[in-house]
Amino acid sequence: MTAPLEAASASPMPAGVTDPNYKPLPGRLGNLTVMQLHALEKLKKELIAEGIFEEERMDDALLLRFLRARKFDVAKAKEMLISAEKWRKELGVDDIEYAVVVINAFKADRAVHYRSFDFKELEEVNKYYPQYYHKMDKDGRPVYIERLGQLDMDALYKATTQDRLLKRLVQEYEKFRVHRIPACSKAVGHPVETSCTILDLKNVTLSNFVKVKDYVMQAASIGQNRYPECMGKFYIINAPWTFSSIWFVIKPWLDEVTAAKVDIIGTNYKNTLLKQIPAENLPKEFGGACDCPGGCSLSDAGPWNT
């Protein structure tokens, strides 16, 4: 019996793809239905007509993020995007400077300069709340690691403030958008649009979480409302028995699509992580083989630094 043919995409494959095995997920360039392509064109046309569209930043891939986040409802996607644009202006996100050297399909050739916000306390903060990107998973996603279990609130807020932590988070999202993702895409030969996150809860207590809850909630809101569709894989490891109470607080703040991507694991996480992340890319403390000089958390190792 002949296998059914796959439906042809209404949009062409993105330029610059060199991976012959690349098959875009639904709702991405190269795998759009006619309805989805019409939604993309309609959203862009309306943004241009209303003077909101910014050609340099609002490429089709970004517009599709907002459309997927709102199930291709153009009105809701536009509302979400306009809200994000208002937030960017209020926070001064566009003051984070970067200079474009060459624009290509993956936008991987850029000289990026982050001048408006200098997080000088990074090394000190890293001692009490490590948050960092480190190499790629097997699908080319940048791996993001957050060690909530090492949190020392008293020491952390002597080194920085919640406001500065949130500004650093936004800066990292901007680096992710204009620097890390394009570099990963170029490295693997196909578009990479999401990250692979490891959230380590070793030694986390309910009382510790309550202290950092406001920051975590604001960070989650920024991620899903201002930078939608950036989460590819999300592993919560070393989850204590009390985590059910913590998850009860967090989950209502997440949309259904985001919550469904979360994989909660206890202490036997090594094999699960190694199925997704090459051993040479996974730090030793998580069962991998990587041991960067000076520590993985401060190395910023990845194709964005090669």
Side-chain angles (χ1 to χ4, degrees):
M1 184 177 178
T2 305
L5 295 175
E6 293 184 7
S9 172
S11 68
M13 190 74 76
V17 173
T18 58
D19 177 4
N21 299 314
Y22 174 62
K23 293 183 179 180
L25 292 171
R28 275 78 174 172
L29 292 173
N31 192 1
L32 294 177
T33 66
V34 172
M35 182 204 74
Q36 290 170 341
L37 181 59
H38 285 171
L40 173 62
E41 293 171 345
K42 186 174 189 291
L43 175 60
K44 185 186 292 187
K45 184 178 180 179
E46 291 183 7
L47 293 173
I48 291 172
E50 296 176 28
I52 298 166
F53 186 75
E54 293 187 18
E55 186 174 359
E56 165 57 26
R57 184 160 51 80
M58 295 181 183
D59 58 12
D60 288 349
L62 183 138
L63 297 183
L64 284 169
R65 287 184 186 276
F66 284 88
L67 283 166
R68 290 196 302 272
R70 292 297 178 261
K71 299 179 180 179
F72 283 86
D73 183 313
V74 174
K76 290 181 179 179
K78 186 171 76 170
E79 181 183 10
M80 183 185 190
L81 191 149
I82 290 174
S83 176
E85 288 299 296
K86 180 180 178 183
W87 168 83
R88 289 179 69 89
K89 288 179 173 61
E90 289 174 350
L91 194 66
V93 176
D94 292 332
D95 290 336
I96 298 176
E97 301 174 9
Y98 63 89
V100 180
V101 177
V102 177
I103 300 178
N104 61 25
F106 292 157
K107 298 183 180 177
D109 300 315
R110 290 188 171 194
V112 184
H113 307 286
Y114 297 93
R115 297 172 180 159
S116 66
F117 177 68
D118 186 5
F119 198 67
K120 296 178 180 179
E121 62 267 39
L122 175 61
E123 289 190 21
E124 192 67 14
V125 166
N126 183 66
K127 297 175 185 176
Y128 312 117
Y129 192 6
Q131 300 167 286
Y132 59 99
Y133 284 92
H134 187 265
K135 301 187 178 180
M136 299 186 297
D137 72 2
K138 293 180 180 179
D139 296 316
R141 299 183 187 92
V143 176
Y144 176 72
I145 299 171
E146 186 166 327
R147 306 193 72 177
L148 194 58
Q150 288 193 9
L151 179 66
D152 182 333
M153 287 294 297
D154 293 335
L156 178 67
Y157 284 145
K158 286 179 182 177
T160 191
T161 65
Q162 180 170 308
D163 179 67
R164 286 183 63 78
L165 282 175
L166 288 169
K167 285 182 179 177
R168 186 218 171 184
L169 175 73
V170 171
Q171 186 182 60
E172 288 299 323
Y173 267 118
E174 289 297 302
K175 289 181 182 180
F176 174 87
R177 181 179 67 83
V178 302
H179 194 39
R180 300 189 201 280
I181 284 295
C184 290
S185 299
K186 192 174 183 179
V188 298
H190 63 75
V192 174
E193 299 188 57
T194 59
S195 63
C196 174
T197 295
I198 300 172
L199 177 60
D200 183 12
L201 298 184
K202 186 176 182 179
N203 298 324
V204 165
T205 64
L206 189 56
S207 60
N208 267 351
F209 175 75
V210 169
K211 291 179 182 178
V212 77
K213 179 175 70 70
D214 287 346
Y215 169 79
V216 171
M217 296 307 179
Q218 288 187 61
S221 176
I222 288 170
Q224 71 177 14
N225 296 323
R226 312 311 184 190
Y227 299 92
E229 294 288 304
C230 287
M231 182 191 295
K233 297 284 185 179
F234 196 115
Y235 301 101
I236 297 179
I237 64 172
N238 289 314
W241 67 270
T242 55
F243 184 69
S244 58
S245 300
I246 296 173
W247 184 240
F248 181 78
V249 175
I250 297 174
K251 192 173 181 180
W253 286 72
L254 305 176
D255 60 45
E256 291 181 8
V257 175
T258 300
K261 294 177 181 177
V262 177
D263 190 356
I264 302 173
I265 315 171
T267 56
N268 296 319
Y269 56 81
K270 179 179 176 180
N271 289 339
T272 300
L273 294 185
L274 288 174
K275 285 179 183 177
Q276 186 63 36
I277 304 169
E280 63 271 20
N281 289 358
L282 185 64
K284 277 188 174 181
E285 55 264 41
F286 301 114
C290 189
D291 188 16
C292 296
C296 293
S297 63
L298 292 173
S299 69
D300 200 21
W304 49 86
N305 269 330
T306 57

